[in-house]
Amino acid sequence: MTTLISVPLGEHAYRIAIGANIRRQLPALLAEYTPLTPKAPALIVSNPRIWRHYGTEVHEALTQAGWQVTPCLLPAGERYKTLRTVEKIYDAALRQRLERGSTLFALGGGVIGDMTGFAAATWLRGIAVVQMPTSLLAMVDAAIGGKTGVNHPQGKNLIGAFHQPRLVVIDPDVLVTLPPREFRAGMAEVIKYGVIWDAQLFDLLSQLPRLDRMAALPAEQLLQILERSCQAKVDVVSKDEREAGLRAILNYGHTIGHALESMGNYRLLNHGEAVAIGMIAAGELAVTLGYWSAEAAAAQRALILKAKLPTTIPAHFDVEGLLALLQHDKKVQAQKVRFILPTAIGHGEIFDQVPTELIRETLHRLQA
Amino acid sequence: MTTLISVPLGEHAYRIAIGANIRRQLPALLAEYTPLTPKAPALIVSNPRIWRHYGTEVHEALTQAGWQVTPCLLPAGERYKTLRTVEKIYDAALRQRLERGSTLFALGGGVIGDMTGFAAATWLRGIAVVQMPTSLLAMVDAAIGGKTGVNHPQGKNLIGAFHQPRLVVIDPDVLVTLPPREFRAGMAEVIKYGVIWDAQLFDLLSQLPRLDRMAALPAEQLLQILERSCQAKVDVVSKDEREAGLRAILNYGHTIGHALESMGNYRLLNHGEAVAIGMIAAGELAVTLGYWSAEAAAAQRALILKAKLPTTIPAHFDVEGLLALLQHDKKVQAQKVRFILPTAIGHGEIFDQVPTELIRETLHRLQA
């Protein structure tokens, strides 16, 4: 069974298809839900590990349906999310003579999805991209909403473009091969949606005994988690495609999260782990400021612990250094740091006036 | 006196301001016609030659109006229109801590405009750009319409994005310092608009004794030429922002033009010179196919000669090589070459079925 979620973005509208084993039905999904046709040459962009697991079957399904599609394998890992690596996609696009009607298929996690999306946004001033996320993080976040980009040597995602996919294909079966640490990282974003947007998702997560690995989740509940998370992202993005306002609430946990990731050189803490600590911090700020109840903050902490995600800041991190990094964050608006704080389970709001001193105290308190 | 042309692109709408000496009024134009404010840091992107002539006065005008603006000078020339050079803009953007509300000012010809526009399209997923074209080509073509981009080592403008400017400021006085060969190149695009869109512009050009240098044109006529050319581009672009259909007619003379440029390694023939020969070729094809009169083609040739632009293909160019390059052109659609042909003075149409044999004959006939 395939669940379809519509992303209502006018001329950029598209669908998200979610279902066990649907990766093999890709050509039928393309035919039914997109204007894309096998006429023009296409690329599947992936990395060697993902390709070994799922590349051949996707490639064969497309080929059998008449697509002239060539693999383009990139090195795995966030440190390769650069313009240099995107140039490899450009080179393949040139070799295969991609045309304006061509398609890039992104088969992989967030790094592959972001780079393939950026290449699609900028090759011939924009060609089609289909996202086939293989990590939990990419399924519930990166693959949806049209944010694409690469890192600058001095900052993440500083170079990028908005470019919506034509279709997102989410097959939970591929999570079987996802490393457990990456599964947990994705769960941080799922918890985020529960806290700032969807109280029912929060309840669903609260009822599950474990959130730290795929094998611990019943298939039906996993599908529900994916569907509700995608719907949450779609709800927000479709109201604010270009991040003029509301979309900022998706940055809950990310302001401090980005600083933590950066201080750990993107290795000590991965994105989801840093966001988990960032949510703990934002939750405490919200409680201190009187916007949120201590009970709600405790319920959030319980979910983060069930997902075996960290809740404290590494002891050797310098709090003043973290505060300085907050000032560098690209969400800076006229030199003020913006925070997203929860005001109820299932509801977050944007706050621009959180006192620096309070942030400092909270960070110190969270140090292990 | 300032002439204003509105570019009606919905939420991407903006204005083109044209007038003698208006470069010094930039801050007032920004205040009156854009939402941009001096609050966030900004860059002026230019090259050393242009900066020497006009940089200081523009910089001072902005600074006096409260803008915190820093110059970012790039090497001049099409061969530097690369991702590597755009990275210098990214680096400056990072150093000056540009924010989402920041602005890039592009002060220069098409190369500066295209790269600055691309950097603006992709820094923080899109910030504002103001175009201040200093070449005739950039004034009547590159600065308007939102096409931005850089070259791939194997092809021009393969990497890019659509990103509309917030304001275009055209000051004909700066053409005084434009090298004559570049002035003539820009005139090729002016003639193009006369042939495929604006019969009155064609008549105006026909009445002028010379078109080859600024000094030969009365100021009033030069302003009219700029205004009508910009209006022609705006008319077409506003009906087809993303080049789905109509906008393709702006490629009149460009299909063969691009092949000629490429074969001359972008040095033997510049863009306008190649387009001039391309228009001669397309005109002859149109006459042979019975779409256009021999008289109209002769009138077009007369304008190209008055602009001292070339009308023949260099003798050592290999015609079969040119035909192969036509197949590579990025305007290829499902392996067919698209031609824009005039059907009357002031009207061009898209044709997909021009026989290769006829193109071959025409190219041979045009060889010097």
Side-chain angles (χ1 to χ4, degrees):
Chain A
M1 228 206 66
T2 303
T3 299
L4 286 169
I5 294 176
S6 287
V7 188
L9 291 173
E11 58 173 335
H12 300 142
Y14 59 96
R15 286 192 178 79
I16 304 167
I18 308 176
N21 216 13
I22 63 163
R23 65 190 182 281
R24 297 168 203 268
Q25 297 163 37
L26 175 61
L29 293 169
L30 290 168
E32 186 148 0
Y33 301 115
T34 79
L36 308 176
T37 67
K39 274 186 227 154
L43 299 178
I44 307 182
V45 183
S46 193
N47 70 39
R49 189 184 73 79
I50 298 294
W51 186 263
R52 204 167 56 240
H53 290 304
Y54 308 110
T56 310
E57 57 190 21
V58 171
H59 190 216
E60 274 177 10
L62 285 170
T63 305
Q64 275 168 24
W67 286 79
Q68 177 201 331
V69 59
T70 310
C72 170
L73 299 190
L74 306 177
E78 180 84 24
R79 72 181 180 285
Y80 293 107
K81 200 174 112 174
T82 62
L83 278 181
R84 292 294 172 281
T85 310
V86 168
E87 288 181 68
K88 291 182 194 297
I89 308 178
Y90 294 149
D91 292 344
L94 192 91
R95 270 197 309 276
Q96 302 305 325
R97 298 206 185 173
L98 264 57
E99 306 167 5
R100 290 190 180 162
S102 287
T103 303
L104 300 186
F105 294 93
L107 178 68
V111 172
I112 289 291
D114 283 4
M115 283 197 292
T116 308
F118 185 67
T122 52
W123 188 248
L124 306 182
R125 297 198 190 89
I127 64 173
V129 64
V130 169
Q131 295 284 355
M132 304 185 70
T134 60
S135 72
L136 181 55
L137 186 67
M139 287 177 184
V140 300
D141 186 11
I144 307 168
K147 280 193 180 181
T148 73
V150 298
N151 301 331
H152 183 276
Q154 288 169 66
K156 278 187 72 171
N157 296 319
L158 291 175
I159 300 160
F162 285 97
H163 189 60
Q164 301 297 338
R166 299 302 182 90
L167 179 70
V168 180
V169 177
I170 296 179
D171 183 343
D173 288 5
V174 305
L175 294 174
V176 166
T177 54
L178 188 70
R181 187 179 175 192
E182 285 192 45
F183 185 86
R184 297 194 295 269
M187 195 54 73
E189 299 285 351
V190 171
I191 294 168
K192 178 190 80 177
Y193 295 125
V195 175
I196 51 118
W197 193 257
D198 182 355
Q200 279 184 268
L201 174 60
F202 192 94
D203 288 345
L204 171 64
L205 296 173
S206 299
Q207 285 154 27
L208 289 164
R210 293 180 63 174
L211 296 172
D212 61 318
R213 39 197 288 255
M214 186 195 175
L217 293 174
E220 181 51 37
Q221 272 72 20
L222 177 59
L223 271 174
Q224 273 187 50
I225 284 172
L226 291 172
E227 288 164 18
R228 295 203 79 97
S229 297
C230 289
Q231 188 66 56
K233 175 116 188 203
V234 167
D235 287 348
V236 176
V237 167
S238 61
K239 289 187 178 109
D240 178 22
E241 184 179 359
R242 295 269 170 158
E243 200 160 22
L246 178 67
R247 189 164 175 165
I249 73 160
L250 295 177
N251 286 317
Y252 176 57
H254 284 59
T255 306
I256 288 173
H258 283 155
L260 292 166
E261 259 188 297
S262 171
M263 189 163 278
N265 284 316
Y266 302 97
R267 279 187 294 269
L268 188 65
L269 295 169
N270 67 26
H271 181 69
E273 291 160 352
V275 166
I277 303 168
M279 290 193 291
I280 296 280
E284 299 226 345
L285 281 171
V287 172
T288 307
L289 288 164
Y291 300 138
W292 214 30
S293 70
E295 292 71 28
Q300 170 183 266
R301 174 185 294 271
L303 294 191
I304 291 170
L305 288 169
K306 271 202 290 190
K308 294 211 163 70
L309 285 160
T311 57
T312 56
I313 297 171
H316 67 282
F317 276 21
D318 173 43
V319 166
E320 295 309 312
L322 285 172
L323 287 167
L325 284 166
L326 290 182
Q327 308 290 335
H328 273 78
D329 192 277
K330 74 176 185 295
K331 280 171 286 300
V332 166
Q333 298 239 348
Q335 315 296 338
K336 283 184 293 183
V337 177
R338 158 174 290 185
F339 264 93
I340 315 302
L341 300 179
T343 56
I345 295 286
H347 189 74
E349 288 184 18
I350 302 166
F351 293 86
D352 283 322
Q353 307 293 348
V354 180
T356 307
E357 192 46 39
L358 190 58
I359 304 171
R360 181 179 282 117
E361 283 169 23
T362 305
L363 294 176
H364 276 298
R365 204 164 56 239
L366 287 182
Q367 259 187 325
Chain B
M1 228 205 68
T2 303
T3 300
L4 286 170
I5 295 177
S6 288
V7 188
L9 290 174
E11 59 174 335
H12 299 142
Y14 59 96
R15 287 193 178 78
I16 303 168
I18 307 176
N21 215 14
I22 61 164
R23 67 189 181 280
R24 297 169 203 266
Q25 298 163 37
L26 175 61
L29 293 169
L30 290 168
E32 185 149 2
Y33 301 115
T34 79
L36 307 176
T37 67
K39 274 186 228 157
L43 299 178
I44 307 182
V45 183
S46 192
N47 70 39
R49 190 183 71 79
I50 299 293
W51 186 264
R52 203 167 60 239
H53 290 304
Y54 308 109
T56 309
E57 57 190 19
V58 170
H59 190 217
E60 275 178 9
L62 285 170
T63 305
Q64 277 169 23
W67 286 79
Q68 177 201 332
V69 59
T70 311
C72 171
L73 300 190
L74 306 177
E78 180 83 25
R79 73 180 179 284
Y80 293 106
K81 199 174 112 175
T82 63
L83 278 181
R84 292 294 171 282
T85 311
V86 169
E87 287 180 68
K88 291 182 193 298
I89 307 178
Y90 293 149
D91 293 343
L94 192 92
R95 269 197 310 275
Q96 302 305 323
R97 298 207 186 174
L98 264 58
E99 307 168 6
R100 289 191 181 163
S102 287
T103 303
L104 300 185
F105 295 93
L107 177 67
V111 171
I112 288 293
D114 283 4
M115 284 197 292
T116 308
F118 185 68
T122 53
W123 187 250
L124 306 182
R125 296 197 190 91
I127 63 174
V129 63
V130 169
Q131 295 284 354
M132 305 185 69
T134 59
S135 73
L136 181 56
L137 186 67
M139 289 177 183
V140 299
D141 186 11
I144 308 167
K147 281 193 180 181
T148 72
V150 298
N151 300 331
H152 183 277
Q154 286 168 67
K156 278 186 71 172
N157 295 322
L158 291 175
I159 300 159
F162 285 96
H163 189 61
Q164 301 296 340
R166 299 301 181 92
L167 178 69
V168 179
V169 177
I170 296 178
D171 182 343
D173 288 5
V174 305
L175 294 174
V176 164
T177 54
L178 187 70
R181 188 179 173 190
E182 286 192 47
F183 185 85
R184 297 192 296 267
M187 195 54 73
E189 300 285 351
V190 171
I191 294 168
K192 179 190 80 177
Y193 294 125
V195 175
I196 51 117
W197 194 257
D198 181 353
Q200 280 183 267
L201 174 59
F202 193 96
D203 288 345
L204 170 63
L205 298 173
S206 299
Q207 285 154 26
L208 290 163
R210 293 179 65 172
L211 298 172
D212 61 317
R213 41 197 287 254
M214 187 197 175
L217 293 174
E220 179 52 36
Q221 272 72 21
L222 176 59
L223 271 174
Q224 272 188 50
I225 285 171
L226 291 172
E227 287 165 17
R228 295 202 79 96
S229 297
C230 290
Q231 188 65 58
K233 175 118 190 201
V234 167
D235 287 347
V236 174
V237 167
S238 61
K239 290 187 178 107
D240 177 22
E241 184 179 358
R242 294 270 170 158
E243 199 159 21
L246 177 68
R247 189 163 173 166
I249 73 160
L250 296 177
N251 286 317
Y252 175 58
H254 285 59
T255 307
I256 288 173
H258 285 153
L260 291 166
E261 260 188 295
S262 171
M263 188 163 279
N265 284 318
Y266 302 96
R267 280 187 294 270
L268 188 64
L269 295 169
N270 67 25
H271 181 70
E273 290 161 352
V275 166
I277 302 168
M279 291 194 289
I280 296 280
E284 299 227 344
L285 281 170
V287 171
T288 307
L289 287 164
Y291 301 137
W292 214 32
S293 70
E295 293 70 30
Q300 171 184 265
R301 174 184 295 271
L303 294 190
I304 291 170
L305 288 169
K306 270 202 292 192
K308 292 211 165 74
L309 285 161
T311 57
T312 56
I313 297 171
H316 66 284
F317 276 21
D318 172 42
V319 166
E320 294 309 312
L322 286 172
L323 287 167
L325 285 167
L326 291 183
Q327 309 290 335
H328 274 77
D329 192 277
K330 75 174 185 295
K331 279 170 288 301
V332 166
Q333 300 238 345
Q335 315 298 335
K336 282 184 293 183
V337 177
R338 159 173 288 186
F339 263 92
I340 315 302
L341 300 179
T343 56
I345 294 288
H347 189 74
E349 288 183 19
I350 301 166
F351 293 86
D352 282 321
Q353 306 294 347
V354 180
T356 308
E357 192 46 39
L358 191 58
I359 304 170
R360 182 179 282 116
E361 281 170 23
T362 304
L363 294 176
H364 276 298
R365 205 165 56 240
L366 286 182
Q367 259 185 327

